[in-house]
Amino acid sequence: MIRKLLFVLIWVIAFINIQAQTDTTTRKYRLTTEGLWLSVGHSHTYDNYLSSQLYKGISFGAGMDQTRFYSADYQKISKYDGMDFHAALEENAARNSRLIQMYYRGFYGAHYHIDLNERVQIMPGAYTDVELGLKYLPHNGNNPVNVIGSSSFWLSARWQHKFKIGKEPFRIIEHPSISACGIQFSPKYTQLYYDIAYIDDYDGNIVFTHFGNKLHFRNDISVDFPIGEITRLRVGMTTERMFYDVSNLKGRLFENALKIGIVRRSYVFKGKTPIPEFFVE
């Protein structure tokens, strides 16, 4: 019994000593960037499950994203996550039919940091997302609704360039990404949702997607303007292109949107050491 107590006591003392040394000798600090934004743009949608016509109109969006830049032990990796909501109201060329669509998207990923110099940084990485929503075409009496449901693995690369105008710091950020593979819910050609829901005819409605049957590209480019010590105004442009051909159904999406939002940058420091002099945002 005494030996066990001595053994536990030795481990407790060793653990306390290690923690004390960590608190006084290591520097753990990170920079977190949180953004809230709104967008408005122009979109084109084609979905031959609902209609053989091309629909054009206006799109709206709102969302948030977060990037955590780690220093010290984790200075080469950043976590990237967020969510957004999109809605669009479009009509055909004859203006006698309207298409309404809306969807929610959540994403999570990571990037590896490569400093080219003091001002330019590139961050290759990847993320995964989930999209849930629907398209509604009242003019189609047989199949007025098509569900949006997919999850994809994206190849991603971010880069940022810091510069100054006078004494004010600015930042250009671009983030292109492309879907490499995933899964997508898709009814078969001429299949009704009644068949899926009530006749249990759902075999083959979950389709594996890849470069061969779905090409989905997204790019965000923005400029951060300082409006406070930790707050910035972000103005940018989002471009999205999607083509798919699954289950004998074809569709495409073109969208260009203006994005504006607020970015807040915060610091978290751990340990008893002061903020290092070389630390810059």
Side-chain angles (χ1 to χ4, degrees):
M1 184 68 180
I2 296 177
R3 288 184 179 181
K4 291 182 179 180
L5 290 176
L6 289 175
F7 182 79
V8 172
L9 182 60
I10 291 172
W11 272 105
V12 170
I13 294 174
F15 178 78
I16 294 174
N17 288 334
I18 292 174
Q19 287 297 106
Q21 292 177 6
T22 300
D23 287 341
T24 57
T25 60
T26 61
R27 296 169 175 174
K28 294 184 178 181
Y29 44 90
R30 68 172 179 253
L31 166 63
T32 299
T33 302
E34 298 173 318
L36 297 173
W37 52 265
L38 299 172
S39 69
V40 59
H42 186 69
S43 62
H44 296 186
T45 301
Y46 172 76
D47 185 342
N48 71 343
Y49 180 80
L50 297 174
S51 174
S52 60
Q53 301 182 68
L54 177 66
Y55 286 77
K56 302 179 181 180
I58 189 170
S59 64
F60 303 92
M64 61 170 292
D65 56 70
Q66 177 180 263
T67 302
R68 283 190 174 185
F69 296 87
Y70 287 92
S71 291
D73 298 335
Y74 306 98
Q75 74 272 23
K76 296 297 182 181
I77 299 175
S78 66
K79 185 185 77 170
Y80 173 67
D81 65 286
M83 64 183 72
D84 51 57
F85 175 80
H86 288 267
L89 178 61
E90 303 164 325
E91 59 184 8
N92 60 1
R95 296 188 176 182
N96 59 4
S97 178
R98 289 187 174 181
L99 174 66
I100 302 170
Q101 60 176 313
M102 57 186 67
Y103 68 88
Y104 161 85
R105 182 174 72 103
F107 52 90
Y108 186 92
H111 295 86
Y112 183 80
H113 294 201
I114 302 174
D115 295 318
L116 298 182
N117 53 50
E118 294 181 354
R119 296 184 178 182
V120 180
Q121 185 179 67
I122 61 174
M123 293 169 280
Y127 66 90
T128 183
D129 74 344
V130 174
E131 288 187 5
L132 298 173
L134 59 84
K135 302 173 187 176
Y136 177 56
L137 186 65
H139 190 73
N140 187 337
N142 294 325
N143 297 315
V145 174
N146 195 9
V147 172
I148 300 173
S150 66
S151 179
S152 301
F153 176 77
W154 293 72
L155 301 178
S156 173
R158 309 178 71 191
W159 74 270
Q160 62 178 356
H161 178 217
K162 306 174 186 177
F163 64 98
K164 288 186 177 182
I165 298 179
K167 295 183 179 180
E168 298 296 331
F170 292 81
R171 191 183 304 261
I172 299 176
I173 303 171
E174 186 171 10
H175 184 190
S177 56
I178 187 169
S179 174
C181 60
I183 56 174
Q184 176 176 318
F185 172 82
S186 176
K188 301 173 185 177
Y189 188 69
T190 72
Q191 184 182 30
L192 301 177
Y193 277 90
Y194 176 85
D195 300 335
I196 300 174
Y198 296 100
I199 306 179
D200 294 335
D201 182 18
Y202 47 77
D203 185 30
N205 292 126
I206 305 297
V207 183
F208 176 72
T209 59
H210 47 80
F211 288 120
N213 59 11
K214 183 179 181 180
L215 181 62
H216 198 172
F217 172 79
R218 185 181 288 121
N219 186 59
D220 289 288
I221 184 168
S222 59
V223 180
D224 289 356
F225 301 86
I227 57 175
E229 292 184 1
I230 61 173
T231 307
R232 287 177 169 80
L233 174 68
R234 175 167 291 179
V235 179
M237 176 71 68
T238 298
T239 301
E240 187 169 359
R241 301 287 185 267
M242 180 177 65
F243 306 86
Y244 66 85
D245 185 354
V246 297
S247 303
N248 294 319
L249 295 177
K250 296 182 179 181
R252 65 178 183 263
L253 169 68
F254 299 163
E255 182 177 8
N256 296 307
L258 176 66
K259 182 185 292 186
I260 184 169
I262 297 294
V263 178
R264 181 178 180 272
R265 303 169 69 82
S266 59
Y267 306 93
V268 176
F269 292 85
K270 295 182 179 180
K272 297 181 179 179
T273 55
I275 298 174
E277 296 180 356
F278 61 82
F279 183 81
V280 294
E281 61 174 321

